[in-house]
Amino acid sequence: MMQRSGYAGGNMGRLVVFVGGFDPRGARHYHRLFSENAARQGEVDGCTYSAGPREALDVGQGAGAHRHARWAFHGPQGGGEYVFFDWSDQVRAHWPRALWRVAAQACMTYALAVTQWRVLRGLRRQVPYTLLSFTYPLLFGLLAVAAAAGGAFAGWRFAQGLPELAQWLVPMVAAFAVLWGAAGLDKLLHVSWLLRIFNFARISAAEDSEVLAARTQAMAEWVRHRVAQQPGLEVVVLGFSVGSVQAVRLVDALRQPAALVVCGGDGAASASDAPNAPVAVTLLTLGNCIPLFSLMPEAVKLRAALQNLANDSQLYWADISSPGDSVSFGMCDLMRLSLRDAAMPAEALHNPRRMCSPRFHKLFDPLAYRLMRRNKMRMHFQYLMASQKRGAYNFFAMLTAPGAVRDFVEKYLVR
């Protein structure tokens, strides 16, 4: 249950702002995911990781006003405050329940992809498995339609000699049965989940949501207020999956000089409370999907934000994405892939400073890892979950590390 009382988070030396992926589930789900997996990871590591109760966090005024959530987290060597940046309402607004609507939107998405075939060549060279994940829902849909047509034809052949009404009904029932079976298979293969992400990448580039822009700016100003209140606070922006795109926008806002602080929950703040200098921040992207969004022709503002971060020598950005996670863009030349037509010499790029692999195969027994890889969604969420064995990548040890999070990344994940 979400509490609304005064916040008592304990050791607040670290502020983690988490931006989740394209998921209609909100803070309740992610708090439970964090709490349950923290306990499991503690059993593996022989220590205790824990999460405090989830509390409401009201941020912003006017168009940027929204209720987010937060909770304290602790480990054997440290802890901090975990802020859940909520945009699940915007996800639900772009989450059609009817599969035929998802398929109709996908037709437009794949039509756009055909016009961008030159861009797809770069994906084929750098992230072939991710490109395969983009194409396999199309193949699944075509096979489902072909199978339905085959079922209808077989039903028609079977119904010959029956009454005229049966000659119409039998093929229709056969085709419907095949499509119903495909819908059931989708629940196992998560094809529609991928299609919803692809569709949102196209739609969001065209719409450029003013709601999310205002909400992002409000959160940036709230973070500024916190830093002004607590000098020395380590700020970590954590973008997971599609949330890596929104995390880029949030960090870009934090790295700009402050104009006005708008906050809530912890009390009001005025413009005089805001430091003029950009906020020192560490950006971690887990299972990033950035090129999927930035390569859209209309994603001009996103590419500008990426270019700002790429040229920011004061920012530390590390990407942790697995090549085995075919939904993400792991271990690639991320900026070269994302910025399309921008002509930038390699030496001018300061970020991402590190492209790391979590090496999930080292964290599980071979059979458990093979089973996990067969489930694309389960594999994709492993960045936020407990492991079966101890290893270099440890989500909870990283967040509760005694030194800076970037030190943990440099020590354990950089190879």
Side-chain angles (χ1 to χ4, degrees):
M1 181 177 180
M2 188 179 292
Q3 301 180 8
R4 301 183 184 181
S5 58
Y7 188 68
N11 175 16
M12 294 293 105
R14 177 171 297 144
L15 173 65
V16 177
V17 181
F18 173 78
V19 188
F22 191 70
D23 192 340
R25 299 169 294 187
R28 177 184 299 179
H29 169 77
Y30 281 90
H31 178 257
R32 183 172 66 250
L33 183 74
F34 189 104
S35 301
E36 292 176 353
N37 282 275
R40 291 175 187 148
Q41 191 65 57
E43 294 175 0
V44 174
D45 294 354
C47 63
T48 301
Y49 302 108
S50 63
R54 175 172 53 95
E55 300 190 357
L57 175 64
D58 294 319
V59 173
Q61 298 175 0
H66 190 70
R67 172 159 289 176
H68 304 274
R70 63 179 172 185
W71 56 86
F73 64 91
H74 301 280
Q77 297 180 303
E81 178 182 358
Y82 198 91
V83 171
F84 180 86
F85 179 95
D86 180 61
W87 65 296
S88 58
D89 60 318
Q90 298 299 299
V91 174
R92 289 189 291 271
H94 294 86
W95 189 278
R97 292 184 176 274
L99 291 181
W100 71 267
R101 291 186 181 275
V102 177
Q105 291 181 358
C107 290
M108 299 176 65
T109 301
Y110 281 110
L112 176 63
V114 170
T115 67
Q116 303 296 310
W117 62 271
R118 289 185 177 85
V119 173
L120 296 179
R121 289 189 302 182
L123 297 180
R124 181 176 59 83
R125 288 192 295 268
Q126 293 203 45
V127 283
Y129 291 114
T130 302
L131 182 59
L132 181 61
S133 290
F134 183 76
T135 56
Y136 108 84
L138 175 62
L139 297 176
F140 178 88
L142 293 175
L143 286 174
V145 171
F153 178 74
W156 176 78
R157 291 290 301 271
F158 175 80
Q160 294 303 303
L162 296 178
E164 185 175 355
L165 179 62
Q167 293 183 26
W168 284 95
L169 286 178
V170 172
M172 292 174 62
V173 170
F176 177 81
V178 172
L179 294 177
W180 183 82
L185 190 59
D186 168 63
K187 295 179 180 179
L188 296 175
L189 300 179
H190 307 295
V191 175
S192 61
W193 169 62
L194 291 174
L195 287 177
R196 287 183 175 98
I197 293 175
F198 301 155
N199 293 337
F200 180 69
R202 173 183 57 82
I203 294 170
S204 63
E207 291 182 354
D208 196 19
S209 171
E210 294 180 3
V211 173
L212 272 180
R215 195 174 299 178
T216 300
Q217 188 61 41
M219 179 58 75
E221 302 303 348
W222 182 86
V223 172
R224 290 181 190 279
H225 178 57
R226 279 298 313 277
V227 171
Q229 286 182 323
Q230 187 177 347
L233 179 68
E234 181 189 8
V235 178
V236 179
V237 174
L238 185 62
F240 166 63
S241 185
V242 175
S244 58
V245 175
Q246 196 61 34
V248 164
R249 295 188 174 108
L250 176 57
V251 171
D252 187 45
L254 286 169
R255 295 299 298 159
Q256 304 300 324
L260 176 66
V261 169
V262 181
C263 70
D266 290 334
S270 65
S272 61
D273 295 322
N276 291 324
V279 174
V281 59
T282 294
L283 172 60
L284 296 181
T285 48
L286 310 178
N288 89 82
C289 299
I290 292 170
L292 178 63
F293 287 74
S294 67
L295 291 176
M296 294 294 168
E298 296 173 294
V300 177
K301 291 183 179 179
L302 175 58
R303 289 193 291 273
L306 284 167
Q307 196 154 6
N308 289 341
L309 301 194
N311 288 322
D312 190 343
S313 61
Q314 301 303 309
L315 172 68
Y316 182 91
W317 174 7
D319 179 74
I320 306 172
S321 301
S322 172
D325 173 18
S326 58
V327 185
S328 71
F329 292 77
M331 302 301 290
C332 64
D333 191 345
L334 186 59
M335 282 301 172
R336 291 289 173 189
L337 198 58
S338 299
L339 293 178
R340 283 181 66 107
D341 303 324
M344 297 177 63
E347 58 269 23
L349 300 177
H350 294 287
N351 282 295
R353 293 183 184 272
R354 301 296 186 184
M355 296 292 292
C356 308
S357 171
R359 297 166 65 88
F360 288 148
H361 64 286
K362 296 287 188 180
L363 305 179
F364 293 87
D365 294 331
L367 177 59
Y369 180 69
R370 285 199 299 271
L371 291 175
M372 186 172 71
R373 284 206 63 178
R374 293 175 184 174
N375 187 328
K376 290 183 181 296
M377 182 178 288
R378 173 62 184 85
M379 180 74 174
H380 193 53
F381 269 82
Q382 180 54 42
Y383 301 97
L384 310 178
M385 299 176 71
S387 61
Q388 190 180 54
K389 300 189 292 187
R390 294 186 184 186
Y393 180 78
N394 185 322
F395 181 67
F396 302 96
M398 179 171 65
L399 294 186
T400 61
V405 167
R406 67 180 66 183
D407 294 338
F408 181 96
V409 173
E410 292 289 331
K411 181 176 181 180
Y412 294 105
L413 297 177
V414 173
R415 288 175 174 79

